[in-house]
């Protein structure tokens, strides 16, 4: 049996993946989610978690926000850490551009349903919501758009069940996350 171990920057990413992965993965693939307390906590735990993981047929996903950093440098640094584990062929690095909230802004239909605020899905036609990964302040934007109803942990828990996995999400980094997981685990 395959296992996907997810090493995550924050608990809100855990909330999101906890509802997305059961829809994405077949029943014979299990997953484990480890949420850390920020980037530095994640990075200091990557080598140990991956190197000393004993179960065979295990694959690893590292997910963190880009924030204001350079995406290529972040990915290069994470790859250097993974290379030290001897298991880089079973690892996937994904960067949320710029923040996890970009995934939610890419599917305003899910935000509308999850937070029960009518009319949000229509905002998807606005230019900034057609390219949410380009927003450097996605969390603030989501907070404003929802008239201060969005809260990081609770919002993630409420919105995630409604995220569409059919490729219609306007966040390119969300679509890359899904396609990367499928490729890593050899899923159709």
């Amino acid at each position: 049996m395959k296992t996907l171990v997810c090493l995550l920057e924050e608990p809100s990413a855990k909330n999101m993946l906890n509802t997305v992965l059961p829809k994405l993965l077949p029943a014979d693939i299990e997953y484990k989610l480890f949420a850390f307390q920020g980037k530095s906590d994640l990075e200091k735990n990557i080598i140990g978690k991956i190197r000393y993981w004993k179960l065979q047929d295990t694959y690893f996903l590292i997910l963190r926000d880009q924030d204001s950093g350079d995406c290529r440098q972040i990915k290069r640094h994470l790859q250097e850490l993974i290379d030290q584990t001897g298991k880089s062929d079973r690892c996937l690095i994904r960067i949320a551009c710029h923040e996890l909230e970009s995934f939610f802004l890419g599917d305003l239909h899910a935000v509308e349903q999850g937070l029960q605020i009518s009319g949000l899905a229509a905002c998807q036609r606005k230019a900034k919501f057609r390219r949410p990964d380009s927003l450097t302040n996605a969390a603030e934007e989501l907070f404003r758009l929802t008239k201060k109803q969005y809260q990081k942990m609770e919002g993630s828990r409420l919105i995630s069940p409604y995220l569409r996995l059919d490729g219609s999400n306007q966040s390119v980094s969300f679509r890359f996350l899904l396609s990367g997981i499928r490729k890593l685990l050899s899923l159709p």
Side-chain angles (χ1 to χ4, degrees):
M1 175 179 273
K2 288 181 184 176
T3 302
L4 177 65
V5 173
C6 303
L7 306 178
L8 312 167
E9 174 186 337
E10 59 190 350
S12 59
K14 182 177 181 178
N15 283 347
M16 185 267 301
L17 285 175
N18 221 6
T19 57
V20 167
L21 289 177
K23 294 187 234 175
L24 184 68
L25 303 178
D28 65 337
I29 297 179
E30 59 181 34
Y31 63 91
K32 305 223 179 283
L33 305 172
F34 295 93
F36 296 95
Q37 299 303 315
K39 293 168 215 28
S40 59
D41 188 33
L42 167 67
E43 291 176 10
K44 77 178 181 187
N45 282 287
I46 287 175
I47 296 171
K49 280 283 189 200
I50 296 174
R51 182 184 287 159
Y52 300 114
W53 195 269
K54 298 296 181 199
L55 286 177
Q56 296 298 316
D57 217 9
T58 298
Y59 297 83
F60 301 91
L61 164 68
I62 293 88
L63 177 63
R64 71 155 273 193
D65 290 350
Q66 176 187 356
D67 293 324
S68 60
D70 179 288
C71 196
R72 288 183 188 100
Q73 287 179 348
I74 294 167
K75 197 165 186 178
R76 192 169 26 256
H77 174 65
L78 293 172
Q79 187 62 55
E80 289 168 0
L81 295 173
I82 289 169
D83 289 344
Q84 296 176 49
T85 70
K87 298 179 182 177
S88 59
D89 61 324
R90 292 188 269 152
C91 294
L92 173 69
I93 300 167
R94 283 297 178 254
I95 310 294
C97 300
H98 284 265
E99 302 174 287
L100 180 73
E101 284 78 11
S102 298
F103 296 175
F104 302 146
L105 289 174
D107 189 349
L108 291 177
H109 184 279
V111 176
E112 180 175 308
Q113 288 183 293
L115 298 183
Q116 299 179 352
I117 303 172
S118 61
L120 291 183
C123 295
Q124 200 77 66
R125 285 176 258 159
K126 293 182 180 179
K128 66 180 168 183
F129 300 124
R130 287 194 310 263
R131 296 188 57 221
D133 292 328
S134 64
L135 296 170
T136 58
N137 60 342
E140 291 173 30
E141 194 65 52
L142 192 53
F143 187 69
R144 272 194 300 267
L145 182 67
T146 62
K147 295 180 177 42
K148 302 181 182 179
Q149 286 188 35
Y150 175 77
Q151 300 296 319
K152 198 166 192 69
M153 288 297 294
E154 185 68 5
S156 177
R157 189 183 66 73
L158 293 171
I159 296 167
S160 297
Y162 299 100
L163 286 173
R164 293 175 286 186
L165 311 182
D166 61 1
S168 63
N169 192 305
Q170 297 297 303
S171 169
V172 174
S173 61
F174 181 73
R175 293 194 313 260
F176 277 162
L177 170 66
L178 299 182
S179 65
I181 291 170
R182 287 182 181 113
K183 184 176 179 183
L184 178 70
L185 299 171
S186 301
L187 300 176

